[in-house]
Amino acid sequence: MKKHWWHKATIYQIYPKSFKDSNGDGIGDLKGITSKLDYLQKLGITAIWLSPVYQSPMDDNGYDISDYQAIADIFGDMSDMDELLAQANQRGIKIIMDLVVNHTSDEHAWFVEAREHPDSDARDYYIWRDQPNDLDSIFGGSAWQYDDKSGQYYLHFFSKKQPDLNWENAALRQKVYDMMNWWIDKGIDGFRMDVIDMIGKIPDQKIANNGPKLHDYLKEMHQATLAGKDLLTVGETWGATPEIAKKYSSPAEEELSMVFQFEHIGLQHKPNSPKWDYEKGLNVPALKDIFNKWQTELELGQGWNSLFWNNHDLPRVLSIWGDTGTYREKSAKALAIALHLMRGTPYIYQGEEIGMTNYPFKDLGELNDIESLNFAAESLENGRAISEIMDSIRMIGRDNARTPMQWDADANAGFSSSPQTWLPVNPNHTQINVEVALADPDSIFYTYQKLIKLRKENDWLVDADFELQETTDKVFAYKRVTADASYLVVINLSGEAQPFDLDIDYQETIITNTCEFEVFEKLQLQPWDAFCVKVG
Ligand code: GLC
Ligand code: CA
């Protein structure tokens, strides 16, 4: 198998509005990110995945793009982007851009033209029908919006300010590829592709994900943009199975490097229920089955996994699956060790490396996220109690991940000089912040730093087979096995002591969040104990 830099990489996701504000308007920006590159270099990450910074009316915080080749005013301008790229590259950090081409903003020039001039070429860049069908928008309500001017409906799987692009149109596809090449020529190192599994949609047959032409489009895109370049591409694919993930990520298919699959994230809500019907507490046996399936079915050379607990759409993992109290630090390290020693490319979401948690939202007035607000409005209309609605949002809502990064204990957490931050700062920033983490050699930060370094320096993390070990329910244990060495990873994914009876022919400790001697002297794992040891 041909090795690529991203096989040994760890990626750090930045949500630009919330990372660091440089000009005191309460909103994070590009100069703010550049000012924190030394911090990211210290953490050791290989690349930043930058959530969208393009020009946008911010109906969905930049996932509604009105110009792919301009920077949103709130974030700075193209010279700030160039400066970020240059400064990052100087520190050996690559930049992965977010590519949102399932839809644009309704303020994109193409859509404006399509709407104003129904006989223009741009009309067919979008999807218009005389009559809507009963497809729903993922953000609530119908997926069709009536347009007065032309008397037709356009499709929007997300907000009505995010009209879906029509990938059947070859000229539109070429425009997308030209835009991608423009960014590649600028020196970026890859793309995270937003809801890419939806570009093959067939709305009349109510097919949204995994449409029949999806992989033809991706192959065409690959040839037109990625071929011959060593870029990282990761597709967001909510509906992927291992079989489907191979189609995207097998090198022979020449499509993408890897995809984000969400099967493990599915355990955050009740089966066959909306995400808001959350399941508090981790179903460890189910999680083990899912990881085992993905780790063994995406064989080396036939596909590649991504590994993540968090992103800008998900709750903070400590709040839903970890411990935000006594064992906050220990559970954060345990979850990190569990994830980062599997095969795949790990992703860290900003603040995860210091153990940030969900925000205690009190009322709807504190929220910004369109999905949460639409859910609240719809639920209120259906007579649901506000207390219940807020309870769901506090656990699952997307704003939990989006509150400002906690840099220090000062007012506004060192995120901004303005007290008017676009989302409130979590009150726990007085204890949970970068300054405190850096000063404590035992902090979560240094566990992440070590995991990133291990991945860079050890081929076995890429090559070794994954073998799930038989253990009691709450213990996740696996071996990574090569021809000449075996590594055993053991994590107690619970806040209670667990019996443990695996035979360990101990050779060397690779990483642990507990005192290593303790582990072997007792036949019990303490709450959230985690370690990796080289075994005979
Ligand atoms: C993806 C993004 C999410 C966005 C949606 C529409 O799921 O991660 O934040 O709202 O696509 O672009
Ligand atoms: Ca700012």
Side-chain angles (χ1 to χ4, degrees):
M1 182 190 72
K2 184 164 183 264
K3 293 277 169 72
H4 295 280
W5 60 269
W6 40 263
H7 286 119
K8 289 183 148 199
T10 302
I11 317 297
Y12 187 91
Q13 184 189 355
I14 289 184
Y15 197 67
K17 269 184 116 173
S18 307
F19 194 61
K20 172 71 187 168
D21 173 21
S22 73
N23 62 352
D25 64 356
I27 305 172
D29 46 53
L30 289 173
K31 281 203 172 83
I33 297 172
T34 304
S35 75
K36 293 296 184 186
L37 287 171
D38 288 340
Y39 167 73
L40 296 176
Q41 190 179 23
K42 184 175 171 95
L43 183 57
I45 51 130
T46 326
I48 294 168
W49 150 23
L50 197 58
S51 274
V53 291
Y54 314 95
Q55 189 180 296
S56 160
M58 299 284 157
D59 189 51
D60 187 19
N61 280 323
Y63 284 91
D64 49 322
I65 297 169
S66 54
D67 186 342
Y68 292 101
Q69 279 153 262
I71 301 295
D73 291 343
I74 54 166
F75 295 139
D77 58 25
M78 200 51 83
S79 70
D80 297 324
M81 184 66 222
D82 291 338
E83 181 67 9
L84 169 60
L85 251 173
Q87 292 288 333
N89 288 348
Q90 251 175 45
R91 290 166 179 79
I93 297 175
K94 299 174 191 290
I95 302 279
I96 312 291
M97 296 298 279
D98 215 310
L99 184 78
V100 188
V101 291
N102 174 66
H103 46 267
T104 66
S105 163
D106 66 339
E107 297 181 31
H108 191 288
W110 300 337
F111 193 74
V112 173
E113 170 88 2
R115 205 177 216 172
E116 302 283 321
H117 304 288
D119 50 357
S120 66
D121 289 349
R123 182 77 175 181
D124 191 50
Y125 293 1
Y126 297 89
I127 297 167
W128 303 89
R129 295 289 181 269
D130 292 333
Q131 285 304 322
N133 61 13
D134 61 358
L135 275 176
D136 285 333
S137 156
I138 291 162
F139 289 165
S142 167
W144 297 95
Q145 175 67 22
Y146 185 64
D147 173 50
D148 288 335
K149 281 219 174 82
S150 58
Q152 284 193 307
Y153 294 80
Y154 64 84
L155 179 73
H156 63 90
F157 272 120
F158 295 90
S159 99
K160 52 176 181 274
K161 286 184 67 60
Q162 292 168 298
D164 274 62
L165 285 167
N166 174 22
W167 274 72
E168 299 266 346
N169 184 300
L172 177 269
R173 298 204 300 276
Q174 191 55 49
K175 283 195 188 280
V176 170
Y177 306 152
D178 291 347
M179 176 273 287
M180 290 171 68
N181 283 328
W182 185 86
W183 279 103
I184 293 170
D185 291 345
K186 250 187 185 304
I188 61 143
D189 292 285
F191 297 103
R192 175 266 184 186
M193 301 186 181
D194 195 62
V195 289
I196 200 67
D197 64 345
M198 297 176 74
I199 62 173
K201 72 205 90 171
I202 309 188
D204 302 320
Q205 293 172 32
K206 299 190 199 165
I207 296 176
N209 310 76
N210 298 318
K213 288 199 194 148
L214 168 62
H215 294 280
D216 294 342
Y217 295 150
L218 288 175
K219 287 186 166 63
E220 181 187 81
M221 174 196 280
H222 185 103
Q223 293 312 321
T225 62
L226 312 168
K229 301 168 193 124
D230 202 4
L231 302 175
L232 180 158
T233 47
V234 52
E236 185 198 20
T237 59
W238 283 81
T241 60
E243 216 40 56
I244 294 176
K246 281 189 208 175
K247 285 196 180 173
Y248 292 105
S249 65
S250 160
E253 296 286 344
E254 304 197 307
E255 293 187 11
L256 306 179
S257 318
M258 67 193 94
V259 293
F260 291 129
Q261 61 84 14
F262 291 85
E263 201 176 342
H264 60 306
I265 298 298
L267 299 176
Q268 294 184 348
H269 56 80
K270 303 218 161 18
N272 309 314
S273 304
K275 69 185 227 174
W276 303 105
D277 295 341
Y278 67 83
E279 195 92 72
K280 170 103 174 99
L282 176 57
N283 181 343
V284 182
L287 184 82
K288 291 196 273 189
D289 282 349
I290 292 170
F291 280 152
N292 186 35
K293 173 163 112 188
W294 282 88
Q295 287 289 305
T296 53
E297 290 188 26
L298 242 60
E299 284 156 76
L300 197 59
Q302 296 188 28
W304 186 252
N305 274 297
S306 66
L307 306 168
F308 67 97
W309 292 126
N310 289 284
N311 68 30
H312 65 292
D313 295 327
L314 301 175
R316 293 279 178 184
V317 70
L318 291 187
S319 297
I320 189 150
W321 285 344
D323 185 323
T324 54
T326 327
Y327 296 114
R328 185 183 65 87
E329 298 216 30
K330 200 170 178 197
S331 67
K333 293 175 190 172
L335 287 163
I337 291 170
L339 194 77
H340 282 239
L341 299 180
M342 289 191 281
R343 185 193 280 152
T345 300
Y347 289 74
I348 301 169
Y349 180 71
Q350 65 185 42
E352 178 181 337
E353 78 281 15
I354 56 167
M356 279 176 62
T357 63
N358 277 4
Y359 183 91
F361 292 104
K362 286 188 291 291
D363 52 50
L364 296 176
E366 282 183 314
L367 297 171
N368 169 278
D369 170 32
I370 181 169
E371 185 189 43
S372 301
L373 292 170
N374 286 355
F375 157 71
E378 226 168 79
S379 310
L380 284 172
E381 255 171 52
N382 296 338
R384 232 164 128 174
I386 185 71
S387 57
E388 236 181 81
I389 298 170
M390 284 312 298
D391 178 64
S392 280
I393 290 176
R394 263 193 300 276
M395 183 53 75
I396 289 289
R398 304 197 299 177
D399 282 333
N400 285 301
R402 301 176 181 183
T403 62
M405 177 74 181
Q406 295 164 203
W407 295 102
D408 60 36
D410 289 355
N412 322 320
F415 162 71
S416 173
S417 58
S418 164
Q420 293 304 325
T421 53
W422 79 280
L423 272 182
V425 170
N426 197 314
N428 67 18
H429 76 276
T430 49
Q431 287 96 51
I432 304 174
N433 65 61
V434 168
E435 197 174 63
V436 166
L438 290 179
D440 172 7
D442 275 336
S443 71
I444 304 165
F445 177 91
Y446 293 106
T447 295
Y448 274 90
Q449 187 190 54
K450 185 157 188 188
L451 287 166
I452 295 166
K453 188 159 181 282
L454 278 173
R455 177 160 292 272
K456 262 189 211 153
E457 293 175 353
N458 291 283
D459 287 330
W460 65 265
L461 279 161
V462 177
D463 298 326
D465 286 337
F466 174 97
E467 293 176 5
L468 187 72
Q469 306 295 299
E470 281 286 325
T471 49
T472 48
D473 270 6
K474 302 273 173 164
V475 177
F476 178 35
Y478 57 89
K479 269 190 187 161
R480 299 293 309 274
V481 180
T482 69
D484 28 59
S486 287
Y487 301 85
L488 174 69
V489 184
V490 176
I491 312 98
N492 176 0
L493 285 172
S494 83
E496 300 93 46
Q498 299 293 334
F500 181 72
D501 55 8
L502 284 180
D503 269 344
I504 300 183
D505 179 5
Y506 174 82
Q507 290 189 349
E508 182 193 340
T509 301
I510 306 296
I511 191 168
T512 173
N513 71 352
T514 180
C515 165
E516 58 187 272
F517 298 106
E518 249 179 87
V519 172
F520 305 110
E521 277 169 11
K522 58 191 179 205
L523 292 172
Q524 267 221 111
L525 293 171
Q526 293 309 304
W528 297 104
D529 267 358
F531 58 87
C532 171
V533 291
K534 190 173 181 191
V535 291

